[in-house]
Amino acid sequence: MVFFSACPAREEWDNLINHANGGVSLTGSVLLGKVGPLIGAVDIAESEDAYVFRVSLPGVARDEKVFRCDVGPNGRILIKGVSVTGERKVRRKNMVFKMQTQNLCPPGEFTVSFQLRGPIDHLNLSCNFGPDGIFEGVAKKKQQVL
């Protein structure tokens, strides 16, 4: 990967592409992103009465037979699934492609677990696994008994 601090001039860009031989370069707003795991990156937000979490799961099978989210009353979230990307060969329309780069999660089972800040009503959880590969959940906080 090549990182630029600013947009390169057209000549510099063309020169880079000619010499990169299949490399990846980042410029602009992509450059400002934090490098991290391609699968399992988690965002958590909190309001007065609930938590919302988002988990990046690109290339994960959405089939209910292999994808599961377990939630404990203490706020522990455990996501289990199967990645279907990262294979060495890809078949599309009667053609076989040999991967030249492999940066996605390798195929196979995985788990992602994290802890919310406090106890939740684990029986009242709303989740959605969007077509964009983002799994989002909203968990109500457990009401304090006075």
Side-chain angles (χ1 to χ4, degrees), residues 1 28 32 38 40 47 52 54 73 80 83 85 87 95-96 105 113 127 129-130:
M1 273 191 213
L32 301 176
L38 296 174
S47 72
V52 64
R54 294 180 184 153
K80 295 181 179 185
S83 171
T85 60
E87 61 271 30
M95 295 183 280
V96 177
C105 181
S113 65
C127 293
F129 196 169

Side-chain angles (χ1 to χ4, degrees), residues 75-128:
R76 186 82 177 150
I77 310 292
L78 175 65
I79 298 170
K80 295 181 179 185
V82 175
S83 171
V84 294
T85 60
E87 61 271 30
R88 294 186 193 278
K89 291 184 181 179
V90 176
R91 290 171 175 74
R92 297 287 186 272
K93 297 184 180 183
N94 297 323
M95 295 183 280
V96 177
F97 299 88
K98 183 179 177 190
M99 298 302 292
Q100 293 180 350
T101 62
Q102 289 186 276
N103 297 308
L104 298 177
C105 181
E109 295 180 358
F110 72 90
T111 62
V112 175
S113 65
F114 53 94
Q115 179 72 46
L116 299 176
R117 289 186 58 190
I120 60 171
D121 178 1
H122 68 291
L123 301 176
N124 187 14
L125 179 71
S126 172
C127 293
N128 179 48

Side-chain angles (χ1 to χ4, degrees), residues 57 59-68 81-82 84 128-135:
L57 300 173
V60 170
R62 295 165 31 126
D63 183 348
E64 292 178 7
K65 295 176 186 170
V66 295
F67 183 81
R68 193 168 103 205
V82 175
V84 294
N128 179 48
F129 196 169
D132 58 357
I134 301 296
F135 180 72

Side-chain angles (χ1 to χ4, degrees), residues 5 16 20 43 87 97-98 134 138 140:
S5 59
L16 171 71
D43 286 338
E87 61 271 30
F97 299 88
K98 183 179 177 190
I134 301 296
V138 178
K140 294 283 188 183

